[in-house]
Amino acid sequence: MMTFHRRIATQINIMGMELHAEQSDYAEMENVEISDTMLFYHVRVALKSAVEGDPDKYKQLVTVMGPDERLVPEKVALMVTCLKALSGSVSCLDIVHHQSLISSILKMSMWNYGTDVMDALMELVISLATFSGQYVDLCLEMLVSNFMPPDSFISLLNQSRGILRKGQVIDHVHKTLIFIAELVPLSPLRLERIITERMPHIFTKEPLILIYVENMLKLESGEIGDRVGRTMLLAVMDRLIDLDVDIAWDDILQEDFTKGIFDMELEDLEGPVDVGQQDGDELRISWMERYFSGNLNAQKLDSLMVLTFEHLNFCKESGRLRQVFDTLLQSFQQTVLTAYKSKFAQFVLFYACSLDPENCGRRFADTLFHKFKTSRYPEWRMSAVAYLASYLARAKFLPISFVAEYLESLLEWCSIYCSNQSGGINPKAHKEFYAACQAMMYVLCFRMRSVLAVPHIRSRISKHIEDILRHPLSPLMVCLPSIVEEFLRLAKVTRLDVPDNFVSSNLLESELSMAFGGRERLDMFFPFDPCLLMRSDRFIRPNFVYWSMVRSSYDNDEDDDEGTSDEDEIEICTAGKGMNIANDGAARSYDQDLDEFDNEMSKMSITPKVAQWFGGELRTDMQMPSRIRPCPDSL
């Protein structure tokens, strides 16, 4: 303790406030209270001198608080004691006369100091914020500025000492925010505004924007999350959308409109590949690296989505997922649904649904179907039904009964629409109807065999489909030819009664489909096409249905002139082998059929080896997946 007090005495001399020798000796022999009292006295003298027009001592105090590249122990100790003295002297501070001192303090970056300085600085910030309302915003801005490290610290973030410092800073910042929120009830409202206004733009360096969002998500799940959490999540989703729509596809996708929508799945990769040396995952990673390694915004989006996925996992473990999903649904309806260039951000909703299919999964589907039926804007309705179709087709975690329920609701809507129409083909006038019909066919292309395997479902769906497709509105003539052709092919395999007068054009799209798709090309909108972000993909892939998995189950029947009956075996190809589920032909109840089929489907691995893609061979002559572009404007 005596050594400490000698250092304090030396520091006070540095500030130009000399102590008498006998006072210093006395301080060394007595307790710290005396030293603190004297220090507070001299700090107050310096503050008073600035008001009285004698700035010398005040300037020396400002210098102590100023930045210094050489933080020797003496300098650090002086800074700590002065900060503590100022904490006890906030009543002497004047926001006008002491502006330079307050500015120096609030510009301090905790990333440059150890925990002793952090503790003293946070104590002063709390004292300022709780003493006068004029300091609240300044203190909150200072804390938010410490969400991110200075540029000079970025290189240390992957090192052990950098990781340690990051944890210390974040811990101090959030404890201080919580303390201020308890003492100043309106501060969370002001904090929301400051955080959203200071949120880094999309061109900010990746480590900085990641740490900022990490702090936002920590607030969302923290002690003041009930007051600021919704705003934090909405702002994060907005930033994901901003990054998403900034990623251009023009240099990535090669258009070939002679190929069908289902022939252009992600697994159908371009270029020569040694199948013997690379499995499907390696090929996928190779493709992603080829096109996204130089796209900085794609990499930022990927990292931010991983951070968001991990946060959703934490919310599930802590029992908060349903509450958080309310905010995600709000964000989806306000921004994602109407962002026609969105390619990846919507997978946040997809992943949240996979964590809780019974609640979140159903609420998402209900929201989409409700939007489709009730929205006043045709484009929003078409976008909603495209999302619904893509979700029902791609979500592996959805039971067949769930898919069948919404498919029937969609068919009923189409049937009612047909009953109220007497005219013929008119893509622009009936664009919502054609969008719904295309959605129905798209879902069945992925789910036809499993849905029709249940007799009760088959009988109800078959009647609706036949009436809709034979109506004078002629959806088979207007919807995307590639989807129509695949739907009819699979309908033949499963012996579903549909019109057989469709003439294949071998084209991806037609003038009629472009007409109902409109300027936004919503006829080409498949929002849950495979996720091409490398790190995010590992969260989505286990819960995702790929076209090659579905196609493989029909390939053995494609050349069978007799088709496939309900009593035939259902074969799903798995990695390197097949799995047969035989139908014993016994009469079973509707619920028993669904429960048993869902149980069997959940046991299956539906990821085939490369050699099984698209009928057992990899087509190296195919182009890049031009359909994987929920961005219709990229056309």
Side-chain angles (χ1 to χ4, degrees):
M1 181 176 291
M2 293 181 67
T3 302
F4 174 77
H5 285 100
R6 288 195 188 95
R7 181 177 297 171
I8 294 299
T10 301
Q11 293 159 358
I12 295 175
N13 287 331
I14 293 174
M15 292 170 58
M17 297 174 282
E18 296 186 4
L19 294 173
H20 294 296
E22 49 270 27
Q23 287 180 310
S24 180
D25 292 339
Y26 183 73
E28 292 178 1
M29 293 182 290
E30 297 298 329
N31 58 46
V32 71
E33 294 299 328
I34 298 176
S35 295
D36 285 349
T37 300
M38 289 188 296
L39 182 59
F40 293 171
Y41 169 75
H42 288 290
V43 166
R44 291 185 180 189
V45 168
L47 295 175
K48 185 178 180 181
S49 68
V51 178
E52 295 177 346
D54 182 15
D56 290 343
K57 293 179 180 180
Y58 171 74
K59 287 182 178 179
Q60 291 168 355
L61 181 58
V62 173
T63 301
V64 172
M65 294 294 101
D68 192 338
E69 295 182 0
R70 296 181 64 255
L71 286 175
V72 296
E74 289 75 13
K75 167 71 171 178
V76 172
L78 177 58
M79 185 175 290
V80 170
T81 52
C82 288
L83 286 170
K84 289 182 177 180
L86 286 167
S87 296
S89 308
V90 291
S91 60
C92 299
L93 285 171
D94 183 277
I95 199 168
V96 176
H97 291 95
H98 303 129
Q99 181 180 4
S100 58
L101 176 63
I102 296 172
S103 177
S104 294
I105 293 170
L106 297 181
K107 286 181 180 179
M108 292 176 66
S109 174
M110 287 191 288
W111 296 83
N112 294 328
Y113 304 101
T115 54
D116 49 355
V117 176
M118 292 185 200
D119 291 338
L121 180 57
M122 292 301 96
E123 181 183 347
L124 175 55
V125 169
I126 291 172
S127 297
L128 281 171
T130 56
F131 173 72
S132 172
Q134 62 184 338
Y135 294 119
V136 173
D137 281 7
L138 293 174
C139 292
L140 293 177
E141 288 173 358
M142 180 268 185
L143 292 169
V144 172
S145 69
N146 277 279
F147 277 9
M148 299 185 295
D151 288 345
S152 59
F153 197 90
I154 293 178
S155 60
L156 302 177
L157 288 174
N158 293 325
Q159 301 179 20
S160 57
R161 66 191 182 101
I163 295 173
L164 176 62
R165 179 64 57 81
K166 173 187 171 184
Q168 293 169 342
V169 172
I170 291 178
D171 183 61
H172 278 77
V173 167
H174 286 266
K175 284 183 178 178
T176 304
L177 288 172
I178 292 170
F179 203 95
I180 293 175
E182 292 174 350
L183 298 176
V184 186
L186 292 179
S187 63
L189 185 62
R190 297 156 91 166
L191 178 63
E192 288 180 332
R193 175 184 57 79
I194 292 170
I195 290 177
T196 53
E197 288 179 355
R198 286 174 167 256
M199 194 170 185
H201 55 70
I202 62 175
F203 301 108
T204 303
K205 294 178 181 178
E206 181 178 332
L208 298 180
I209 193 171
L210 275 176
I211 292 178
Y212 197 94
V213 170
E214 183 179 344
N215 277 279
M216 294 176 69
L217 295 177
K218 184 175 178 67
L219 279 173
E220 191 281 328
S221 59
E223 293 186 29
I224 59 174
D226 58 331
R227 286 176 278 179
V228 302
R230 179 177 291 270
T231 300
M232 297 300 101
L233 270 181
L234 291 174
V236 169
M237 287 299 298
D238 286 348
R239 187 58 77 244
L240 293 180
I241 287 291
D242 291 341
L243 284 165
D244 197 334
V245 300
D246 188 71
I247 301 172
W249 286 98
D250 295 343
D251 297 330
I252 298 174
L253 304 177
Q254 305 295 324
E255 307 295 350
D256 186 347
F257 296 106
T258 65
K259 290 182 171 62
I261 220 77
F262 299 96
D263 290 330
M264 294 183 291
E265 185 66 271
L266 172 61
E267 295 112 325
D268 188 22
L269 302 176
E270 181 184 60
V273 176
D274 186 348
V275 178
Q277 295 181 1
Q278 288 185 293
D279 62 17
D281 287 340
E282 290 172 337
L283 286 171
R284 174 175 46 85
I285 291 173
S286 175
W287 191 90
M288 292 175 179
E289 287 179 341
R290 186 189 314 171
Y291 288 99
F292 287 103
S293 59
N295 193 318
L296 296 180
N297 279 350
Q299 294 172 14
K300 291 175 194 174
L301 177 61
D302 196 7
S303 298
L304 285 176
M305 288 188 62
V306 168
L307 196 62
T308 307
F309 291 154
E310 291 172 345
H311 180 72
L312 292 177
N313 262 322
F314 175 77
C315 292
K316 176 179 171 57
E317 293 170 359
S318 57
R320 297 182 55 253
L321 181 61
R322 295 185 182 184
Q323 173 188 340
V324 168
F325 194 73
D326 289 338
T327 306
L328 293 179
L329 268 183
Q330 178 185 344
S331 173
F332 175 80
Q333 295 177 72
Q334 291 177 348
T335 57
V336 181
L337 181 64
T338 58
Y340 298 118
K341 290 184 177 181
S342 177
K343 297 165 282 294
F344 307 115
Q346 57 265 28
F347 278 100
V348 173
L349 277 296
F350 187 95
Y351 184 68
C353 291
S354 73
L355 295 175
D356 185 8
E358 293 184 1
N359 183 273
C360 298
R362 177 167 289 278
R363 289 173 62 198
F364 186 48
D366 283 344
T367 299
L368 292 171
F369 192 58
H370 178 73
K371 277 288 183 182
F372 166 66
K373 292 190 299 180
T374 63
S375 177
R376 59 185 294 186
Y377 302 108
E379 290 76 16
W380 289 16
R381 299 178 66 182
M382 295 171 69
S383 180
V385 79
Y387 266 101
L388 180 63
S390 194
Y391 175 62
L392 296 176
R394 298 291 194 170
K396 183 181 176 182
F397 50 84
L398 296 179
I400 297 305
S401 55
F402 183 102
V403 176
E405 175 186 342
Y406 286 93
L407 187 60
E408 287 188 67
S409 297
L410 196 58
L411 288 169
E412 288 175 4
W413 183 92
C414 291
S415 293
I416 294 173
Y417 190 95
C418 287
S419 65
N420 294 325
Q421 303 295 327
S422 58
I425 295 177
N426 191 333
K428 294 184 178 180
H430 306 290
K431 57 175 63 177
E432 299 100 319
F433 168 74
Y434 292 118
C437 290
Q438 179 166 297
M440 172 270 296
M441 288 187 281
Y442 184 80
V443 173
L444 284 174
C445 284
F446 280 84
R447 303 284 195 170
M448 188 179 298
R449 167 155 284 173
S450 53
V451 168
L452 298 185
V454 183
H456 292 75
I457 298 178
R458 182 186 183 100
S459 62
R460 290 201 295 266
I461 286 180
S462 298
K463 181 63 169 66
H464 279 311
I465 290 179
E466 184 176 356
D467 292 342
I468 294 167
L469 298 185
R470 295 185 187 280
H471 191 273
L473 290 175
S474 303
L476 292 180
M477 299 298 296
V478 178
C479 296
L480 281 177
S482 51
I483 290 180
V484 172
E485 185 174 352
E486 189 64 34
F487 167 77
L488 294 178
R489 187 187 72 81
L490 299 182
K492 179 180 179 182
V493 172
T494 55
R495 303 187 68 180
L496 181 66
D497 188 15
V498 295
D500 56 2
N501 59 346
F502 176 77
V503 179
S504 174
S505 62
N506 292 319
L507 294 176
L508 174 65
E509 59 186 12
S510 67
E511 291 185 3
L512 291 175
S513 70
M514 287 188 284
F516 96 79
R519 181 179 60 85
E520 293 84 6
R521 292 309 314 276
L522 291 174
D523 60 313
M524 296 286 292
F525 188 46
F526 307 101
F528 290 118
D529 277 349
C531 180
L532 306 186
L533 299 178
M534 188 182 308
R535 298 178 60 211
S536 301
D537 178 68
R538 63 186 172 89
F539 291 87
I540 302 302
R541 176 163 285 264
N543 303 299
F544 197 82
V545 177
Y546 291 88
W547 173 243
S548 61
M549 305 170 182
V550 179
R551 179 66 183 266
S552 63
S553 69
Y554 294 93
D555 283 340
N556 290 338
D557 297 325
E558 190 169 7
D559 297 326
D560 188 350
D561 293 336
E562 298 300 321
T564 303
S565 68
D566 293 339
E567 289 74 29
D568 289 338
E569 292 182 344
I570 300 175
E571 178 176 295
I572 306 290
C573 292
T574 60
K577 59 183 180 180
M579 178 180 292
N580 296 326
I581 305 174
N583 186 342
D584 59 9
R588 294 178 293 184
S589 70
Y590 176 76
D591 291 335
Q592 287 175 326
D593 281 324
L594 290 177
D595 291 342
E596 181 174 338
F597 194 86
D598 288 344
N599 184 53
E600 294 298 335
M601 288 293 290
S602 67
K603 297 177 182 177
M604 298 180 189
S605 169
I606 54 175
T607 306
K609 291 294 185 182
V610 174
Q612 294 175 311
W613 295 346
F614 297 101
E617 60 178 346
L618 182 69
R619 302 178 183 174
T620 58
D621 61 325
M622 297 288 281
Q623 297 292 323
M624 280 293 104
S626 60
R627 73 166 190 80
I628 304 176
R629 47 168 171 147
C631 169
D633 290 348
S634 66
L635 291 168

